[in-house]
Amino acid sequence: MSVELAGFVDRHAHLLRTASGNPPAWRTLEDVRRLHERCAAAGITPVDEPEPTALTGLAARLLDALEQAARVGLVEVWEAGVRDWHYLDALLELREAGPLPARVRLLAAAGLAEHGMRARTGDPWCDVVGVKLYADGWLGTRTCALSRGFLDEDTNTGFAFETADSLVRRIEPHARAGWLIATHAIGDRAIESVLDAYERVWGDDCAAAAPRIEHAQLLRPDLVERMAGLGAVACIQPGFGADDHADALRAVGDGWPDAYRWTRLLDTGVPIVTGSDYPIDALAPLEGLRKLAANPFDPMDLDVALDLMTDGAAGTVRLSHDPRSRSVEDVTNVAVLGTTPAGSPGPP
Ligand SMILES: [Zn+2]
């Protein structure tokens, strides 16, 4: 007895880049930390440098990746920061043959966007939707920008790659053109700068523009209130509360009442969208759903978690069982039977 539900949408992944076979710019946390140190010293951000991708064979690799996405139940995937337009060209080439296995939305990395945005395609299967900026580092590398030192590195407060001023300067032209803005910010000091910038760019119109903060992990109560007041959207990673728990306690202890507390964000009125950050976490949304519900910082009801991770406007997914009828640990035993992204050629 199968069930048809709103389809899973992943609004922050690096699926296409991973599929492209491009060698990653980092391999270990040490490599990432060195990258962040280098960027901070050079006054650039990790998404500013181009990352050329060979067009030859790219379309076939992207098609494989999108088939993989459909198999795990995704009807739409957002690529969080393309640094080469060859991805769009390859997707458009695939579109000439028909619908894609899953709908794709591209956020252009700020460096690429400043070289020239491509026009919206207007194609429901494949479109450019906005610009990705990068305000600080990561928690695992102790490079996210904090207002105080890390517990286990007390003289280190991380790196802010942007200030509110630099963000305003970079965001304004794209905001005027109507692009969605999504800024990576993990530490409270970076999140504060991003909110300062969003407030200056949009003022009272911020909620309508719905700019996003990617990750938003180490929040403070005052920042949660500001996000709710402005209508800034948190793009959270369903698996990160579970995956980061032990390391986050080592890094910042338990004196951060709003770190990874996603139900408190919801209760305060902060809009939330979700994305796996694949390949950092698994692409399979049922795996993310299990971790989001079991978040050790702040468990979430399965039906609330499922609502956050799905969007009926993007399509439907057919599952062997309704995940809400299972225990949290049993959710990953639900089988994905098929997906119907919105816009699919329907039965007559
Ligand atoms: Zn990411």
Side-chain angles (χ1 to χ4, degrees):
M1 191 61 180
S2 67
V3 59
E4 185 150 29
L5 300 173
F8 289 102
V9 175
D10 188 329
R11 289 195 169 87
H12 182 130
H14 306 277
L15 175 66
L16 305 185
R17 177 177 187 256
T18 304
S20 77
N22 242 351
W26 49 271
R27 287 177 205 290
T28 65
L29 287 181
E30 262 317 299
D31 288 339
V32 175
R33 182 160 173 152
R34 274 193 292 275
L35 167 71
H36 291 167
E37 285 167 355
R38 202 164 62 238
C39 287
I44 59 170
T45 86
V47 294
D48 285 340
E49 287 173 324
E51 186 179 68
T53 306
L55 187 55
T56 314
L58 184 59
R61 288 195 293 274
L62 300 191
L63 184 61
D64 277 352
L66 294 175
E67 281 166 355
Q68 178 195 348
R71 276 197 300 275
V72 295
L74 292 164
V75 291
E76 186 173 295
V77 180
W78 291 43
E79 183 74 8
V82 292
R83 290 196 259 168
D84 189 321
W85 289 121
H86 279 167
Y87 291 99
L88 178 59
D89 294 329
L91 291 165
L92 293 175
E93 183 189 322
L94 291 172
R95 275 293 286 130
E96 284 170 21
L100 303 178
R103 294 149 53 106
V104 184
R105 300 290 179 268
L106 302 180
L107 291 167
L112 180 67
E114 282 158 11
H115 259 82
M117 278 296 273
R118 291 275 293 267
R120 285 177 182 78
T121 64
D123 180 350
W125 289 92
C126 162
D127 212 345
V128 185
V129 290
V131 179
K132 160 110 182 266
L133 296 102
Y134 217 99
D136 69 344
W138 299 4
L139 176 65
T141 49
R142 307 294 188 265
T143 52
C144 59
L146 295 183
S147 56
R148 58 178 196 245
F150 292 94
L151 271 189
D152 51 359
E153 285 189 30
D154 57 5
T155 58
N156 174 22
T157 56
F159 297 119
F161 301 124
E162 303 273 13
T163 62
D165 284 343
S166 68
L167 285 168
V168 167
R169 212 164 38 239
R170 300 189 76 172
I171 291 170
E172 258 174 351
H174 303 307
R176 263 198 305 276
W179 293 111
L180 175 72
I181 300 297
T183 308
H184 166 118
I186 288 177
D188 66 326
R189 184 159 56 93
I191 294 168
E192 185 160 23
S193 298
V194 173
L195 292 176
D196 288 346
Y198 286 176
E199 193 164 4
R200 280 165 57 189
V201 169
W202 287 286
D204 291 343
D205 300 326
C206 193
R212 293 185 356 191
I213 295 186
E214 309 304 292
H215 314 305
Q217 283 153 230
L218 300 175
L219 282 160
R220 302 190 311 251
D222 61 306
L223 298 176
V224 175
E225 293 290 339
R226 277 189 76 192
M227 286 186 75
L230 284 167
V233 177
C235 178
I236 65 162
Q237 284 55 61
F240 278 18
D243 292 349
D244 289 4
H245 187 245
D247 189 50
L249 291 181
R250 279 194 297 274
V252 298
D254 54 9
W256 288 72
D258 284 282
Y260 301 89
R261 265 57 166 201
W262 311 132
T263 70
R264 286 172 55 150
L265 255 61
L266 287 175
D267 291 345
T268 315
V270 177
I272 292 184
V273 297
T274 66
S276 64
D277 210 11
Y278 173 84
I280 304 288
D281 199 10
L283 189 64
L286 286 165
E287 184 64 33
L289 180 66
R290 179 184 66 79
K291 290 183 184 172
L292 183 53
N295 174 9
F297 288 101
D298 183 15
M300 186 182 283
D301 289 342
L302 266 178
D303 58 333
V304 177
L306 186 70
D307 260 4
L308 289 180
M309 297 181 65
T310 54
D311 183 356
T316 58
V317 61
R318 206 154 46 80
L319 301 172
S320 61
H321 304 84
D322 189 325
R324 293 165 295 195
S325 70
R326 316 303 267 192
S327 69
V328 170
E329 283 313 311
D330 202 28
V331 153
T332 45
N333 293 324
V334 170
V336 176
L337 304 177
T339 56
T340 309
S344 300

